[in-house]
Amino acid sequence: MRYGRLRNLGMKTLETLTFDNAALRDLPVDSVTENGPRQVKNACFSKVEPSPLSRPTTVVYSSSAMRLLDLPESELEREEFPSYLCGSKSIPGAEYAAHCYCGHQFGHFSGQLGDGATMYVGEVINNDSERWEIQFKGAGKTPFSRTADGRKVLRSSLREFLCSEAMFHLGVPTTRAGSCIVSTDTVVRDILYDGHPINENCTVILRIAPTFIRFGSFEIFKSIDRITSRMGPSVGKTDILKQLLSYTKSRFYPDIPGDIEDEDTIVAMYREIMKRTALLVAHWQTVGFCHGVLNTDNISIVGLTIDYGPYGFMETFDPGFICNGSDKGGRYSYEAQPAICKWNVKKLGDVCSLGLSRKTRPSPAILGAGVRERV
């Protein structure tokens, strides 16, 4: 009877969400099903399964964020809610996958990184025909976990939950946090990195955004780096790069006319990405927010704040404010953020231009003019 009333109100249940998982349909998925650490070649996603947690309990949820999925507060109070939202119970229609991407970290190309502790759950179409990708963070190992355990703990999860929702209400473009679920299962963490590890409770948060595609998603096609001698796992696969460019344009920049084979279309989309990135960093500067790890793998392709790690807000105005204790040189300080975003945009241009023939490939002058104009 309760489910019937919800349908009459246009709301959904956890069992009746409308999924349309376009990313896994339109982009190549890894043919290898092994979940161990490895290089994932010629694919944008790898299928995975969440690792169940014991006695999951809801710590907090954002009713406004969950309404984006047409879920009323009554669904968030259900006994089954924490099991669904930590991956212990599969959400009907979900398809779990880990995204492959690379990145320049602290200015150096690091090769393959990927979703080591996060996973794509699916794309929900709400009653307003809006498409929202949902993602678990902390739900277990993926092919990109390397030597880590794929888990997150309560203290870092609450930091992300609180900040992403605070940023939204400050008017800053951001991913949303839908829920935070804690378990009685534990993992060992050395909080202060001082040789005194403790057991901390495993925690999973639900992230919500139009997409989690990032600059680093395009760097899987990067050729060998002259400094680090690393390369993307899909180097030379321009057909897949074109798929990713086409997907990005059709899903997130549909108003730009033309085809991705055309130089004007590529430049127009690139300029729009620059514009959104410039607007994003301007928002950060106005509220005194310091991201802390502005690597290319942490920059959204649609101009959202993503991947809340060692972020910080200035207590008093200090242009040299550094929130990341490992950023000894201040590369990602408050005052450096606009210049770093500009640098990242240039790196995106380097790899996006590989999808065009030499005849139509934009020159550095064309791309550079856009960078100077916007950032």
Side-chain angles (χ1 to χ4, degrees):
M1 183 65 70
R2 178 173 61 85
Y3 292 171
R5 288 200 299 269
L6 287 179
R7 282 196 294 271
N8 292 336
L9 293 171
M11 303 301 283
K12 299 292 178 64
T13 71
L14 291 163
E15 294 84 2
T16 62
L17 292 172
T18 302
F19 278 93
D20 178 46
N21 304 326
L24 301 188
R25 185 175 62 246
D26 297 345
L27 296 171
V29 176
D30 186 14
S31 60
V32 179
T33 57
E34 177 194 351
N35 199 28
R38 56 189 169 80
Q39 286 284 296
V40 174
K41 298 182 178 181
N42 307 329
C44 295
F45 287 92
S46 295
K47 290 290 189 71
V48 297
E49 289 294 333
S51 300
L53 288 172
S54 302
R55 300 174 63 185
T57 304
T58 302
V59 178
V60 65
Y61 58 74
S62 168
S63 55
S64 67
M66 297 302 272
R67 279 197 298 271
L68 297 172
L69 310 179
D70 294 330
L71 289 174
E73 192 146 1
S74 58
E75 281 296 289
L76 316 184
E77 296 288 348
R78 284 177 58 189
E79 182 180 351
E80 303 92 337
F81 178 77
S83 293
Y84 275 125
L85 272 295
C86 76
S88 291
K89 189 173 184 178
S90 185
I91 303 172
E95 293 183 85
Y96 304 98
H99 179 41
C100 182
Y101 54 81
C102 294
H104 280 81
Q105 299 187 310
F106 287 88
H108 299 288
F109 187 65
S110 298
Q112 177 180 289
L113 299 170
D115 285 338
T118 58
M119 59 183 66
Y120 170 101
V121 176
E123 297 165 57
V124 175
I125 310 298
N126 67 16
N127 288 326
D128 294 324
S129 298
E130 297 170 332
R131 177 182 296 271
W132 294 100
E133 181 180 330
I134 57 177
Q135 184 183 81
F136 287 156
K137 182 175 181 180
K141 289 184 178 181
T142 77
F144 310 105
S145 297
R146 299 185 290 281
T147 60
D149 53 28
R151 294 300 191 188
K152 294 298 176 181
V153 297
L154 184 59
R155 55 188 169 84
S156 60
S157 299
L158 279 176
R159 272 178 53 84
E160 173 158 350
F161 183 96
L162 291 171
C163 193
S164 57
E165 288 302 281
M167 292 282 271
F168 170 75
H169 289 285
L170 285 170
V172 180
T174 180
T175 58
R176 301 293 301 274
S179 61
C180 179
I181 310 297
V182 71
S183 166
T184 56
D185 294 338
T186 61
V187 288
V188 177
R189 295 289 187 266
D190 188 346
I191 299 177
L192 300 176
Y193 304 100
D194 61 356
H196 296 87
I198 63 171
N199 290 317
E200 297 192 70
N201 293 90
C202 296
T203 307
V204 177
I205 62 172
L206 180 78
R207 292 166 156 180
I208 306 171
T211 183
F212 289 90
I213 299 292
R214 56 203 62 212
F215 287 14
S217 304
F218 295 83
E219 292 189 304
I220 65 172
F221 311 103
K222 179 177 163 34
S223 59
I224 189 166
D225 188 87
R226 291 181 298 172
I227 298 174
T228 65
S229 298
R230 293 175 178 170
M231 66 181 72
S234 296
V235 61
K237 301 297 291 186
T238 55
D239 56 329
I240 301 178
L241 172 56
K242 289 178 181 179
Q243 273 185 268
L244 183 56
L245 286 166
S246 180
Y247 171 81
T248 301
K249 178 191 173 299
S250 63
R251 290 291 174 189
F252 313 115
Y253 297 94
D255 295 335
I256 295 175
D259 185 88
I260 59 101
E261 295 285 355
D262 180 69
E263 176 184 313
D264 292 338
T265 301
I266 285 288
V267 171
M269 184 168 73
Y270 183 71
R271 285 178 179 270
E272 184 60 27
I273 293 169
M274 284 191 286
K275 177 182 177 181
R276 294 191 191 187
T277 305
L279 288 172
L280 175 64
V281 71
H283 275 290
W284 291 346
Q285 303 304 93
T286 60
V287 298
F289 174 77
C290 196
H291 185 283
V293 274
L294 287 178
N295 303 323
T296 54
D297 54 290
N298 292 331
I299 304 294
S300 165
I301 203 68
V302 292
L304 299 175
T305 312
I306 61 173
D307 292 352
Y308 290 91
Y311 71 84
F313 287 90
M314 287 189 292
E315 297 287 333
T316 57
F317 184 70
D318 174 11
F321 175 65
I322 300 170
C323 62
N324 184 348
S326 62
D327 185 11
K328 303 303 182 183
R331 178 180 175 84
Y332 298 142
S333 68
Y334 169 80
E335 64 183 349
Q337 290 186 135
I340 287 298
C341 286
K342 175 181 176 180
W343 190 91
N344 289 335
V345 166
K346 287 183 177 180
K347 292 301 178 184
L348 175 67
D350 290 343
V351 288
C352 286
S353 65
L354 299 175
L356 301 176
S357 66
R358 293 190 179 277
K359 181 179 179 181
T360 60
R361 188 174 298 173
S363 69
I366 293 175
L367 298 178
V371 174
R372 288 192 297 273
E373 181 180 308
R374 287 292 182 189
V375 182

